[in-house]
């Protein structure tokens, strides 16, 4: 079975890679995909072999937590953690100001020994109260022979603190007696923790925005329902509703489950209510609901009231399936992310090695007199290296892109489909039900006697979208099982140059093969069982949300409404998302390539006395992660 499980405690790409590697190593787990910005793991496992409790214990052992308890909400936990992080960050800034004041002599204490000892106490308090989580996680990681960003912070601040503590008590005896100038670096230890915490605080706030789309979908689910019990009406928790229960929903209230109308009334129509389904289908006009009509969870009667019999509840509702599809898509990984995860696993050990090499080179070149500088250089390298930016580059853009698509009534099943969409240069589209809407009021025996334009109508924006796609260089082919005359007419009405009539399912499949043989990346758009062969073969398969379950099961992309503008939206969003991923990865890699040598002091080789200090290194590291998240958020802010 596949299940999306919330994960808390992850701070960088090495964290998510470690969680994923641990899950995949467990017997009974077929595959696992962990999303850092989504704070979740999509796990495919055999429940007969391994339980959620066993997975939770394994993840707890390496310093993270799976939220599997029904009474624990990841939103509440995240909110509580954010408040704690904000309080801790504020306290760390207070400690930093105290240490800086002592170091700069602003408090009027002239005795260097007293100043250093007070700075030691404040720095130790900062490490215990504000930086405790770094050291706890680092130790857990070390026990399992892994490392992450917390390991780098713990190592760099630990070295700075211990070196400064040594100098506080024995600096004059060891260095001063040999004519070597010595200093303490408690300010570096404190400021590193402060800047890292500040960066995480800002990053968490920004990451929270990338998940707003899924929260909007979840917000469509009401917490309670009005149960009809004979002549009584009772407000009950949604979790207590069972199939067959009769519920009453009034104007402005959210329909709690999927079901069938048993009674309805409104001031406009005595036996019907009008329901706004725009949040599910994208249709702007309210839909009339009479006895026997189907209604969906999350939709809202805006005129009248109705009573309904519950048919699908809990995870079976259409809304729950949409939420699950979006969560799984946001948790899936683009092919490039697999490579980045492998890099993240070795990144921290490599950086630790570079830090040690930096220390040794400065010490060898400068001797004992350069030892303090060698220590600071090694600390700067540890701090400035940032696997977070690399790890966030792809998933944050994907989360925002897939969430933005859901807002436009486009459901994308996985990251690979979103990535392939941008390459589409040929589209095969079914006519009836996909390009056009059949007139349901016509007796099929009389259809042939009616004018073509009375049998069906083009879907909203069909012509504009088809013409736009063709202007962009995308070849569009309409496939229809209808007669030549009808196919030619509707192709002309839609502005489509290429069409085929009297098409059978195998003809649609054959056209997809022909286009692929010509080197085209083909998207197939259909709505029925007769389209499934072509949908399964196409590079990208798109199904209409009002189509058959079979078509939607095969499709990688589902278009929930009748407005074909969603086709153009999906292609445009794919291009922008992949472009954003490229920008994020470029920044993440360039940042590390440029900043690590600068922190090591490479410019001294060219006679330039410039080097990034540990304090500035921690600030730059925080900024690099934040910039990637904010860049991804531009997708959300765009129209």
């Amino acid at each position: 079975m596949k299940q999306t499980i919330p994960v808390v405690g992850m701070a960088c790409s090495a964290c998510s890679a470690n969680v994923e590697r641990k899950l995949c190593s467990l017997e009974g787990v077929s595959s696992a995909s962990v999303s850092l910005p989504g704070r979740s793991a999509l796990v495919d496992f055999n429940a007969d072999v391994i339980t959620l409790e066993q997975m939770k214990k394994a993840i707890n052992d390496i310093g993270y937590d799976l939220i599997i308890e029904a009474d624990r909400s990841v939103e509440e936990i995240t909110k509580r953690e954010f408040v704690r992080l904000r309080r801790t960050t504020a306290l760390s800034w207070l400690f930093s100001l105290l240490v800086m004041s002592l170091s700069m002599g602003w408090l009027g204490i002239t005795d260097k020994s007293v100043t250093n000892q007070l700075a030691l106490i404040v720095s130790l308090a900062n490490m215990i109260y504000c930086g405790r989580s770094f050291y706890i996680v680092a130790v857990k990681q070390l026990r399992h022979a892994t490392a992450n960003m917390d390991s780098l912070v713990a190592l760099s601040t630990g070295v700075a603190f211990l070196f400064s503590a040594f100098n506080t008590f024995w600096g004059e005896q060891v260095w001063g007696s040999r004519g070597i100038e010595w200093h303490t670096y408690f300010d570096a230890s404190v400021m590193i923790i402060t800047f890292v915490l500040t960066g995480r605080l800002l990053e968490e706030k920004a990451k929270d925005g990338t998940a707003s789309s899924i929260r909007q979908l979840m917000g469509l689910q009401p917490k309670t329902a009005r149960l009809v019990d004979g002549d009584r009406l009772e407000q009950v928790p949604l979790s207590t509703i069972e199939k067959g229960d009769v519920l009453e929903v009034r104007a402005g209230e959210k329909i709690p489950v999927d079901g069938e109308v048993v009674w309805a009334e409104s001031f406009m129509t005595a036996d019907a209510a009008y329901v706004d389904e725009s949040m599910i289908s994208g249709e702007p006009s309210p839909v009339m609901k009479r006895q026997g009509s189907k209604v969906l969870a999350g939709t809202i009667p805006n005129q009248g009231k109705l009573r309904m019999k519950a048919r699908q509840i809990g995870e079976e509702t259409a809304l729950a399936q949409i939420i699950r599809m979006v969560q799984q898509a946001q948790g899936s990984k683009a092919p490039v992310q697999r490579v980045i995860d492998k890099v993240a696993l070795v990144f921290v050990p490599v950086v630790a090695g570079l830090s040690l090499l930096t220390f040794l080179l400065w010490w060898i070149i400068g001797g004992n007199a350069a030892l303090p500088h060698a220590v600071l250089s090694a600390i700067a390298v540890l701090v400035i290296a940032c696997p977070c930016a690399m790890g966030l580059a792809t998933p944050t853009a994907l989360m925002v892109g897939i969430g933005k698509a859901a807002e436009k009534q486009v459901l994308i099943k996985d990251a690979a489909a979103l990535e392939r969409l941008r390459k589409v240069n040929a589209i095969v589209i079914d006519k009836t039900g996909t390009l056009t809407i059949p007139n349901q009021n016509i007796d099929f025996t009389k259809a042939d006697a009616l004018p073509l334009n009375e049998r069906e109508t083009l879907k909203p924006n069909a012509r504009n979208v088809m013409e736009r796609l063709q202007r962009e260089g995308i070849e569009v082919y309409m496939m229809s099982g209808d007669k030549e005359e009808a196919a030619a007419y509707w192709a002309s009405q839609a502005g489509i140059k290429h069409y085929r009539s009297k098409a059978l399912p195998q003809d649609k499949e054959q056209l997809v093969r022909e286009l692929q043989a010509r080197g085209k990346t083909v998207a197939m758009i259909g709505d029925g069982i007769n389209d499934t062969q072509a949908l399964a073969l196409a590079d990208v398969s798109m199904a209409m949300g009002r189509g058959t379950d079979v078509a939607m099961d095969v499709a990688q992309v589902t278009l929930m409404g009748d407005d074909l503008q969603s086709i153009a939206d999906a292609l445009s969003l794919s291009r922008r998302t992949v472009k954003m991923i490229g920008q994020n990865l470029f920044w993440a890699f360039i940042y590390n390539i440029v900043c690590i040598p600068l922190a090591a002091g490479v410019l001294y080789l060219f006679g330039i006395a410039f080097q990034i200090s540990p304090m500035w290194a921690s600030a730059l590291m925080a900024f690099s992660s934040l910039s990637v998240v904010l860049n991804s958020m531009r997708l959300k802010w765009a129209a």
Side-chain angles (χ1 to χ4, degrees), residues 516-527:
Q516 288 174 330
R518 287 168 43 197
K520 298 289 185 181
T521 301
V522 183
M524 171 68 198
I525 310 173
D527 72 322

PDB file of all heavy atoms in Angstrom, residues 516-527:
ATOM      1  N   GLN A 516       5.334   9.852 -32.352  1.00  0.00           N
ATOM      2  CA  GLN A 516       6.534   9.530 -31.560  1.00  0.00           C
ATOM      3  C   GLN A 516       7.677   9.057 -32.451  1.00  0.00           C
ATOM      4  O   GLN A 516       8.842   9.372 -32.201  1.00  0.00           O
ATOM      5  CB  GLN A 516       6.196   8.478 -30.506  1.00  0.00           C
ATOM      6  CG  GLN A 516       5.331   9.009 -29.362  1.00  0.00           C
ATOM      7  CD  GLN A 516       4.892   7.921 -28.405  1.00  0.00           C
ATOM      8  OE1 GLN A 516       4.730   6.770 -28.789  1.00  0.00           O
ATOM      9  NE2 GLN A 516       4.667   8.296 -27.152  1.00  0.00           N
ATOM     10  N   ALA A 517       7.332   8.316 -33.518  1.00  0.00           N
ATOM     11  CA  ALA A 517       8.353   7.844 -34.458  1.00  0.00           C
ATOM     12  C   ALA A 517       9.010   9.011 -35.188  1.00  0.00           C
ATOM     13  O   ALA A 517      10.168   8.920 -35.613  1.00  0.00           O
ATOM     14  CB  ALA A 517       7.728   6.877 -35.466  1.00  0.00           C
ATOM     15  N   ARG A 518       8.274  10.120 -35.303  1.00  0.00           N
ATOM     16  CA  ARG A 518       8.824  11.340 -35.928  1.00  0.00           C
ATOM     17  C   ARG A 518       9.589  12.194 -34.924  1.00  0.00           C
ATOM     18  O   ARG A 518      10.020  13.306 -35.256  1.00  0.00           O
ATOM     19  CB  ARG A 518       7.688  12.165 -36.534  1.00  0.00           C
ATOM     20  CG  ARG A 518       7.101  11.561 -37.814  1.00  0.00           C
ATOM     21  CD  ARG A 518       5.800  12.254 -38.217  1.00  0.00           C
ATOM     22  NE  ARG A 518       5.881  13.705 -38.078  1.00  0.00           N
ATOM     23  CZ  ARG A 518       4.814  14.516 -38.039  1.00  0.00           C
ATOM     24  NH1 ARG A 518       3.605  13.995 -38.087  1.00  0.00           N
ATOM     25  NH2 ARG A 518       4.968  15.810 -37.918  1.00  0.00           N
ATOM     26  N   GLY A 519       9.755  11.684 -33.718  1.00  0.00           N
ATOM     27  CA  GLY A 519      10.525  12.416 -32.710  1.00  0.00           C
ATOM     28  C   GLY A 519       9.717  13.397 -31.894  1.00  0.00           C
ATOM     29  O   GLY A 519      10.292  14.220 -31.163  1.00  0.00           O
ATOM     30  N   LYS A 520       8.407  13.311 -31.959  1.00  0.00           N
ATOM     31  CA  LYS A 520       7.550  14.228 -31.217  1.00  0.00           C
ATOM     32  C   LYS A 520       7.336  13.739 -29.782  1.00  0.00           C
ATOM     33  O   LYS A 520       7.302  12.536 -29.516  1.00  0.00           O
ATOM     34  CB  LYS A 520       6.175  14.360 -31.901  1.00  0.00           C
ATOM     35  CG  LYS A 520       6.225  14.930 -33.316  1.00  0.00           C
ATOM     36  CD  LYS A 520       6.572  16.410 -33.297  1.00  0.00           C
ATOM     37  CE  LYS A 520       6.505  17.013 -34.701  1.00  0.00           C
ATOM     38  NZ  LYS A 520       6.877  18.448 -34.682  1.00  0.00           N
ATOM     39  N   THR A 521       7.188  14.687 -28.868  1.00  0.00           N
ATOM     40  CA  THR A 521       6.752  14.385 -27.505  1.00  0.00           C
ATOM     41  C   THR A 521       5.248  14.627 -27.484  1.00  0.00           C
ATOM     42  O   THR A 521       4.797  15.762 -27.639  1.00  0.00           O
ATOM     43  CB  THR A 521       7.453  15.290 -26.477  1.00  0.00           C
ATOM     44  OG1 THR A 521       8.864  15.096 -26.574  1.00  0.00           O
ATOM     45  CG2 THR A 521       6.990  14.967 -25.063  1.00  0.00           C
ATOM     46  N   VAL A 522       4.492  13.551 -27.302  1.00  0.00           N
ATOM     47  CA  VAL A 522       3.050  13.590 -27.555  1.00  0.00           C
ATOM     48  C   VAL A 522       2.248  13.609 -26.258  1.00  0.00           C
ATOM     49  O   VAL A 522       2.485  12.808 -25.350  1.00  0.00           O
ATOM     50  CB  VAL A 522       2.604  12.374 -28.395  1.00  0.00           C
ATOM     51  CG1 VAL A 522       1.121  12.453 -28.728  1.00  0.00           C
ATOM     52  CG2 VAL A 522       3.438  12.283 -29.677  1.00  0.00           C
ATOM     53  N   ALA A 523       1.270  14.524 -26.216  1.00  0.00           N
ATOM     54  CA  ALA A 523       0.274  14.522 -25.149  1.00  0.00           C
ATOM     55  C   ALA A 523      -1.048  14.058 -25.750  1.00  0.00           C
ATOM     56  O   ALA A 523      -1.460  14.553 -26.796  1.00  0.00           O
ATOM     57  CB  ALA A 523       0.112  15.913 -24.550  1.00  0.00           C
ATOM     58  N   MET A 524      -1.683  13.085 -25.106  1.00  0.00           N
ATOM     59  CA  MET A 524      -2.992  12.610 -25.526  1.00  0.00           C
ATOM     60  C   MET A 524      -4.026  13.122 -24.535  1.00  0.00           C
ATOM     61  O   MET A 524      -3.855  12.984 -23.315  1.00  0.00           O
ATOM     62  CB  MET A 524      -3.012  11.076 -25.575  1.00  0.00           C
ATOM     63  CG  MET A 524      -4.402  10.471 -25.794  1.00  0.00           C
ATOM     64  SD  MET A 524      -5.057  10.823 -27.448  1.00  0.00           S
ATOM     65  CE  MET A 524      -6.810  10.485 -27.186  1.00  0.00           C
ATOM     66  N   ILE A 525      -5.112  13.725 -25.050  1.00  0.00           N
ATOM     67  CA  ILE A 525      -6.175  14.254 -24.185  1.00  0.00           C
ATOM     68  C   ILE A 525      -7.475  13.547 -24.537  1.00  0.00           C
ATOM     69  O   ILE A 525      -7.926  13.612 -25.681  1.00  0.00           O
ATOM     70  CB  ILE A 525      -6.335  15.779 -24.362  1.00  0.00           C
ATOM     71  CG1 ILE A 525      -4.977  16.491 -24.245  1.00  0.00           C
ATOM     72  CG2 ILE A 525      -7.318  16.332 -23.343  1.00  0.00           C
ATOM     73  CD1 ILE A 525      -5.020  17.963 -24.562  1.00  0.00           C
ATOM     74  N   GLY A 526      -8.043  12.852 -23.574  1.00  0.00           N
ATOM     75  CA  GLY A 526      -9.273  12.107 -23.826  1.00  0.00           C
ATOM     76  C   GLY A 526     -10.129  12.009 -22.594  1.00  0.00           C
ATOM     77  O   GLY A 526      -9.770  12.489 -21.513  1.00  0.00           O
ATOM     78  N   ASP A 527     -11.301  11.351 -22.750  1.00  0.00           N
ATOM     79  CA  ASP A 527     -12.220  11.264 -21.615  1.00  0.00           C
ATOM     80  C   ASP A 527     -12.899   9.911 -21.461  1.00  0.00           C
ATOM     81  O   ASP A 527     -13.617   9.685 -20.491  1.00  0.00           O
ATOM     82  CB  ASP A 527     -13.308  12.338 -21.739  1.00  0.00           C
ATOM     83  CG  ASP A 527     -14.304  12.014 -22.850  1.00  0.00           C
ATOM     84  OD1 ASP A 527     -13.869  11.503 -23.913  1.00  0.00           O
ATOM     85  OD2 ASP A 527     -15.506  12.251 -22.650  1.00  0.00           O
TER      86      ASP A 527
END
